[in-house]
Amino acid sequence: MPGVQLPENVELLRTRVVLERDRVFSVSGSDYPGQYPGISNAWDLEEFKKNLRIKINRLTPESMEFDLIGVDASIANAFRRILIAEVPTMAIEKVYVLNNTSIIHDEVLAHRLGLIPIKADPRLFDFKSVRCATEDSGPTDLNTIVFKLKVKCENNPDASPDETDPKKKYINSHDTEDTFKVYSGDLVWEPKGAQAEKFADAPIRPVLDDILIAKLRPGQEIDMELHCHKGVGKEHAKWSPVATASYRLLPEITILKPITGDAADRFQKCFPEGVVDVVNVQGVKTAKVVNPRKDTVSREVLRHKEFEDKVRLTRVRDHFIYLSLSAAYVLFVAMIPTPDLSHLTSKDFDRVYEPAVCLEIGSGSGCVSTFLAKIVGPDNADSLIPRLDGAVDIMCFNPPYVVTSPDEVGSHGIEAAWAGGVDGREVIDLFLPYVPPLALLVRTTPYKKELGKCHHIDIPINRIFQALIVAQWCLLPTFDQRKPAKRSG
């Protein structure tokens, strides 16, 4: 909240990740409600919008670097995963082989072709609908791009028998080796329907023309028709618009005491070029931090005793530097498409009952639950229970069921993932009372309620059915018991 001043050391741990010579601490965020006096940290949309900033630092056809500022790590990681798996692109999906006498098998060749990035605006195409598991809706100019690949390696009859230059030895060769190489530039786009007119200003083609597909020897031939469809990376990596998407926290270098003279030069050499400069201050060489974002955080400077207590290395907790390597134009033209609901009618909504909920209890990837904990607090989930009353169709829970000391239950270490306390049931016993009100009567149509299902994992020593008798709902057909799978190693 404005005007609230925390002690300097507390503010440092709240807003920074601190690096020392032999450890990194204050790694986990602590900005959840009630953690600091006078600071609410409750979810506020207007406050979130005010703090959120995006700054694009570098943009090329192959890469993009931008800063995402003012968000929690859970949001930053969710955004990274969206870039990888949720942004649609066009990629080769169907390969119709008319002739392939190369040494590469049809399946391997089809896989290589699928990974060639296609430069086409995915917003101008529809997802190809599937009627059933074995039949789709068929290609149209609205959902399919067609390429032809027809290449053949032939000797040039006019070339000398002693010729070694591939450009003269073979017909149509564009290589410098004693082979005929097939590149992505050999793909020929065949416009269908209105595609020629629609894409007249930006013809569809591979993003790069020099991606090697195959090598041919005289007499070998490839003749194929390729169909590109729209898809997303979570279905197959070939639709992922980014070769890689990563982020790191902004480095911060704070000089606590002046570093002058020859020590300034030695200090400068502890960092990558461009991070620290040596300037003249009143005739004295003095070290000055000029661009900390170039620092690789090697902590080399902390190895030297002469710089102890003179410098502090931290990372800004809510400042993320993103690097995406890809055909960057895709990230802009198709970041998060708006769902198309134009095909739905009022009758479609009559067949949908609300709510229809699958409740998974546990951390999962950690990103959603971490973000939720920062909004409602780790112990305030009870406020969400009334919204789920009688609404859960399927409830899944993989609890910490290992018999351990009660002290390990609910701890902040990794042991909390398996520590179940006495009989391995301390967490389970907290969970069971919530099941009947949430999943016993579930609305399956506007006029009918049925029993929901609860899938639960435990081991015999948990004596789970004793717990069910205590909970007085063991005879209800809502409980599926599963033993944990055997694992090697």
Side-chain angles (χ1 to χ4, degrees):
M1 295 177 65
V4 176
Q5 291 290 335
L6 295 175
E8 183 180 356
N9 63 323
V10 176
E11 182 67 14
L12 177 70
L13 297 179
R14 186 179 77 89
T15 61
R16 299 292 189 270
V17 176
V18 183
L19 297 94
E20 294 185 347
R21 178 180 176 179
D22 56 354
R23 67 169 182 156
V24 179
F25 69 97
S26 186
V27 176
S28 301
S30 57
D31 279 347
Y32 45 82
Q35 176 70 5
Y36 300 101
I39 300 180
S40 170
N41 280 330
W43 169 252
D44 186 290
L45 180 60
E46 294 304 319
E47 189 72 15
F48 177 81
K49 289 160 61 176
K50 183 177 70 175
N51 294 333
L52 175 63
R53 287 179 292 153
I54 298 178
K55 179 184 177 183
I56 298 176
N57 297 301
R58 186 178 75 250
L59 175 62
T60 69
E62 292 81 26
S63 67
M64 176 170 61
E65 182 181 297
F66 64 96
D67 290 8
L68 185 64
I69 307 169
V71 299
D72 183 76
S74 57
I75 299 295
N77 191 52
F79 191 74
R80 179 190 67 84
R81 295 180 68 167
I82 289 172
L83 290 179
I84 294 173
E86 300 287 348
V87 180
T89 64
M90 304 298 294
I92 295 173
E93 170 68 359
K94 301 287 186 181
V95 177
Y96 299 94
V97 182
L98 304 179
N99 191 13
N100 175 26
T101 56
S102 72
I103 63 171
I104 304 179
H105 294 292
D106 293 350
E107 295 82 357
V108 177
L109 192 56
H111 184 267
R112 293 178 63 86
L113 290 167
L115 296 177
I116 296 174
I118 304 300
K119 190 171 184 179
D121 190 342
R123 297 176 302 175
L124 303 179
F125 291 90
D126 300 330
F127 284 98
K128 199 165 184 290
S129 61
V130 178
R131 294 176 181 173
C132 63
T134 59
E135 182 182 3
D136 58 34
S137 59
T140 71
D141 61 330
L142 299 179
N143 61 26
T144 302
I145 299 171
V146 177
F147 283 97
K148 287 292 183 67
L149 178 61
K150 186 175 177 62
V151 288
K152 185 175 182 179
C153 180
E154 295 180 296
N155 287 316
N156 186 355
D158 299 328
S160 168
D162 300 327
E163 183 62 64
T164 58
D165 185 356
K167 295 182 180 180
K168 298 178 181 179
K169 188 175 182 178
Y170 304 121
I171 296 177
N172 297 327
S173 176
H174 44 66
D175 197 33
T176 58
E177 297 181 8
D178 193 22
T179 55
F180 180 86
K181 292 186 178 180
V182 183
Y183 290 97
S184 53
D186 293 317
L187 298 180
V188 179
W189 173 47
E190 286 199 348
K192 302 295 181 181
Q195 289 180 353
E197 181 180 356
K198 183 185 296 185
F199 299 100
D201 297 332
I204 298 173
R205 61 178 182 82
V207 173
L208 301 172
D209 291 333
D210 58 352
I211 300 175
L212 179 63
I213 298 175
K215 296 181 180 181
L216 303 181
R217 294 290 291 163
Q220 295 180 344
E221 179 182 5
I222 295 177
D223 188 1
M224 297 178 170
E225 181 173 306
L226 319 172
H227 288 194
C228 302
H229 298 161
K230 185 176 179 178
V232 292
K234 66 181 180 181
E235 183 176 349
H236 194 285
K238 66 184 177 184
W239 278 300
S240 179
V242 291
T244 181
S246 62
Y247 63 81
R248 60 190 178 98
L249 292 175
L250 176 69
E252 184 180 60
I253 305 167
T254 306
I255 297 178
L256 304 176
K257 299 177 183 178
I259 302 174
T260 58
D262 293 338
D265 294 323
R266 292 192 295 272
F267 183 80
Q268 182 186 36
K269 292 178 181 179
C270 292
F271 298 92
E273 184 178 355
V275 175
V276 175
D277 199 3
V278 177
V279 298
N280 193 306
V281 179
Q282 298 179 351
V284 179
K285 292 194 299 184
T286 305
K288 179 183 178 181
V289 179
V290 292
N291 192 355
R293 71 184 293 122
K294 289 185 176 181
D295 186 27
T296 58
V297 198
S298 66
R299 293 184 277 179
E300 169 67 20
V301 68
L302 301 181
R303 297 177 61 247
H304 302 273
K305 291 186 68 66
E306 63 177 316
F307 300 128
E308 284 185 2
D309 302 325
K310 290 186 177 182
V311 62
R312 180 175 66 213
L313 302 183
T314 57
R315 286 179 179 261
V316 183
R317 192 184 299 281
D318 65 348
H319 191 138
F320 299 89
I321 301 173
Y322 274 84
L323 176 62
S324 297
L325 301 177
S326 171
Y329 73 95
V330 177
L331 300 181
F332 281 105
V333 301
M335 185 61 72
I336 304 177
T338 302
D340 181 14
L341 305 179
S342 59
H343 61 288
L344 297 178
T345 66
S346 58
K347 292 183 178 180
D348 294 317
F349 289 97
D350 290 340
R351 294 196 295 269
V352 178
Y353 69 91
E354 294 185 359
V357 178
C358 175
L359 176 63
E360 181 178 0
I361 302 174
S363 62
S365 67
C367 126
V368 175
S369 58
T370 300
F371 178 63
L372 183 62
K374 291 182 181 298
I375 299 175
V376 302
D379 300 318
N380 295 326
D382 285 350
S383 60
L384 302 177
I385 298 300
R387 297 175 62 104
L388 298 174
D389 187 17
V392 179
D393 296 282
I394 299 177
M395 184 182 297
C396 302
F397 187 29
N398 183 2
Y401 50 73
V402 177
V403 177
T404 64
S405 167
D407 297 338
E408 296 184 26
V409 178
S411 64
H412 297 287
I414 192 173
E415 67 276 1
W418 62 74
V422 178
D423 290 336
R425 267 218 344 246
E426 293 192 24
V427 178
I428 296 174
D429 289 346
L430 292 174
F431 158 73
L432 292 179
Y434 289 104
V435 175
L438 298 184
L440 291 192
L441 290 176
V442 177
R443 186 181 298 275
T444 55
T445 71
Y447 311 104
K448 182 180 179 182
K449 288 187 176 182
E450 294 181 359
L451 296 177
K453 294 284 289 184
C454 175
H455 298 269
H456 187 285
I457 296 178
D458 61 78
I459 54 180
I461 198 171
N462 296 149
R463 297 184 293 177
I464 187 64
F465 282 101
Q466 180 187 47
L468 295 178
I469 293 173
V470 174
Q472 297 182 350
W473 56 279
C474 62
L475 299 180
L476 294 172
T478 61
F479 190 87
D480 262 359
Q481 185 183 27
R482 292 288 186 271
K483 295 182 179 180
K486 294 182 179 179
R487 302 178 182 177
S488 60

